[in-house]
Each structure stands twice: as C-alpha cells, then as structure tokens.
Amino acid sequence: MKTGLTTEILPAGPAATDAAARALAAGLLVAFPTETVYGLGADAANATAIAHLYAAKGRPAFNPLIAHVADLAAARRIGRFDSRAMRLAEAFWPGPLTLVVPKTDNCPVAELATAGLDTVAIRVPAHPVAQAILRAFDGAVVAPSANISGHVSPTLAAHVESDLAGRIDLIVDGGPVEVGVESTILGCFEAPMLLRPGGLSREKIEAVLGAPLARPPQDVESDDSQPLAPGMLASHYAPRATVRLHAHDVAPGEALLAFGPAVLPGVEQAASVMNLSASGDLDEAAANLFGYLRALDAKSPRAIAVMAVPEEELGEAINDRLRRAAVGR
C-alpha cells in the first residue's frame, strides 16, 4: 500500500466540490459525507483507482462496492430495474437504500467493483455534499465507508483522518452525518431480499412492497465466502477492544455502551460510559453508534460492554453492526 500521501482536508462548499470532482476524474481517492456515514470515493469506471481504494482500506477484493449516482436516470444507465425495484427507487431515493439489481449490458462500473458478480449495488445518496460532488463529477462513484476495512465506520471527517490520512488524497468535511449507520441493502431478486439492515427500516420497505422481505441464507455471512453485497462479512465494523453484547453488568476496566435510562451494576467501575440514547430513541442511537464505539475504544478498555437494544425499526441495523463488531478476529 502506498502511504505518505498528503491528504488535503477542505470544508464543504463549491471549492471542495470542484476539487473533489477533479480528483475523482484524475483517479484519486476522495472521502466525503453521505447521510449515512462518510464514504471513500473513487471513479466507478476506473479499475486502477478502485484497486487503490481497496489497498487504502485493506479491503478484501471479493467484497463488492456500492456505486453512488446522482439520480434514478443515472442509476438506470448502470442497472436494470424491474417494476418492484422502480417502486422502491421512486419511494426512497435519494436516501439510505441500496438496491442490488442486474447490470445493464453496457454497465460502465468496473468488474473489480462488482467483485465479478452479474449484479451491481446502486444508491442515490441524499446528502447535499454527496449530491453536489456526484453532479459535478457526472458519473458513478464507488464509495464504501471511509475507514480501514473492518474498523468502526466514520461519522465525522476526523474519523476519516484518523484512519486514512496519508493513504487518500482528499477529505471533504461536511460535519457530522445524520443517519449514522450504513444504507439498507436490498437484493432485487425473484423474491426481494434484505441483504443488510441499515438506515431505512424493513417495515418501511415492506409497506411499499406489500409483502415481507426474504432473508439471505445463513451460509452467505462468512468471512470465507464471497458476499452477495457490501457489508456482509461476518467480522465487520469492529473496534480494537473486545465487544460484549447484552451486558447486564459492567466489569472493572470495561467501557460501557449504554442504551436507555437503566443503570447497570458495576457502572461506577467502568473505564468510560457513553449512552447511545438515554431516552431510548433508536434514531438517536443509530446516529451515535459508530462515533461512540470509536470514542470508547480510544480509552483502551479491557472490553466494551454493550446494553441490549430493541430489535425493531433502526434497532435491527444497530444490532446487526454490533453483532459483527463482536465477532472474534
């Protein structure tokens, strides 16, 4: 991996948008905010740039990437949308939903970005900075989370700088993100399948489809198999400290990631305590998740104890990320 690059950091605005578009066109790597997390962008048609992106993140090359585009018209140039996919795109784009659809015959997205699959993952982000960059670049941009692969996803430009300074060319600082967990990924297969829960709840998608979503086979979520979509490796989103789920107490030297108003026994011995949402608000918890995991991990605790989060609405996505963070590495 080539390191030692000078990573420029620019505040979001017209100058940063122009610089980002020029850098992407030149095959460089640009981190920018979306409404979910910060993404690390590369020209989706440039295999060399994508190879550099994989290297910068330390990302397995069999893990596919999401192609970000400015609107549905651009999405239809790279993917084929059946009637159900169109309904979902029209209902939820721009927004935190990624659709996995068959590639078009002349799909410009590089094979390296789709990991050799005959499908492509596409999203139209809602964040105004992402939208401005995509429109200025006028092409598809692959943009996985802007962090070292497997590490906690970034919700601030400072998180990107911490992981990737010296490895990428530009960071566009648009402040904190709104949603805080990655996009929901839906496979538009014969039976629409929830491949990764995320910033759009299962319930809202099922309401538009009028039918329940299928679940992926258990054996696809392995670190040894090729994922059907991004974010499906078993070990992912992981801090350096061990993560202990469904904690009912706090051991000496552990950090606590709390949720809700309850106070756990032993909390006075915690190395650090952060509460995703003292009021039990799942939207607030999702927005805080990755930033709080990073902050607790920075305290070098013996482990991070995590209180239970309800498995409903955005709680499904929060628990998915926490389970992957807890997988032994």
Side-chain angles (χ1 to χ4, degrees), residues 255-309:
L256 175 64
L257 186 63
F259 177 79
V263 177
L264 296 189
V267 69
E268 68 281 354
Q269 305 175 86
S272 184
V273 178
M274 301 190 80
N275 196 320
L276 291 171
S277 174
S279 66
D281 183 289
L282 290 170
D283 289 350
E284 181 185 14
N288 288 333
L289 176 62
F290 290 137
Y292 284 11
L293 275 175
R294 281 179 175 266
L296 292 177
D297 200 35
K299 302 290 186 181
S300 300
R302 58 179 290 190
I304 299 174
V306 181
M307 291 175 64
V309 175

Side-chain angles (χ1 to χ4, degrees), residues 137 167 176 183 328:
F137 176 64
R167 292 170 171 255
S183 62

Side-chain angles (χ1 to χ4, degrees), residues 30 45 70 144 157 188 193 196 224-225 323:
V30 178
C188 296
M193 181 180 291
R196 180 182 75 181
D224 299 318
S225 62
R323 284 190 290 269

Side-chain angles (χ1 to χ4, degrees), residues 40-239:
L40 179 59
D43 179 357
N46 185 332
T48 300
I50 294 165
H52 291 162
L53 185 153
Y54 278 124
K57 282 180 59 68
R59 184 184 178 95
F62 55 77
N63 199 357
L65 301 172
I66 298 171
H68 294 68
V69 293
D71 52 37
L72 179 54
R76 295 185 72 180
R77 289 194 283 273
I78 63 176
R80 298 201 306 271
F81 287 70
D82 62 16
S83 59
R84 286 179 300 195
M86 283 297 295
R87 289 215 313 275
L88 291 166
E90 290 168 348
F92 298 118
W93 278 354
L97 175 66
T98 294
L99 298 176
V100 178
V101 297
K103 295 177 183 176
T104 56
D105 291 339
N106 57 349
C107 178
V109 177
E111 286 285 329
L112 186 58
T114 60
L117 301 173
D118 59 5
T119 54
V120 60
I122 309 173
R123 183 160 91 89
V124 177
H127 198 290
V129 174
Q131 275 283 322
I133 290 171
L134 289 168
R135 293 188 184 282
F137 176 64
D138 195 25
V141 173
V142 292
S145 55
N147 59 324
I148 296 297
S149 188
H151 195 204
V152 182
S153 296
T155 55
L156 294 170
H159 297 159
V160 182
E161 183 181 10
S162 174
D163 269 18
L164 297 178
R167 292 170 171 255
I168 66 175
D169 302 280
L170 174 62
I171 300 171
V172 178
D173 186 351
V177 302
E178 180 181 350
V179 176
V181 292
E182 292 85 355
S183 62
T184 300
I185 302 181
L186 188 71
C188 296
F189 309 139
E190 183 174 345
M193 181 180 291
L194 183 63
L195 298 176
R196 180 182 75 181
L200 181 67
S201 71
R202 172 196 300 272
E203 292 85 350
K204 290 179 180 177
I205 297 169
E206 290 177 341
V208 168
L209 290 175
L213 293 171
R215 295 179 182 271
Q218 288 296 313
D219 60 359
V220 304
E221 299 205 1
S222 160
D223 280 350
D224 299 318
S225 62
Q226 183 179 43
L228 294 174
M232 293 186 70
L233 293 178
S235 177
H236 211 60
Y237 315 109

Side-chain angles (χ1 to χ4, degrees), residues 303-319:
I304 299 174
V306 181
M307 291 175 64
V309 175
E311 190 80 20
E312 60 189 36
E313 296 290 338
L314 284 189
E316 183 177 18
I318 293 168
N319 283 312

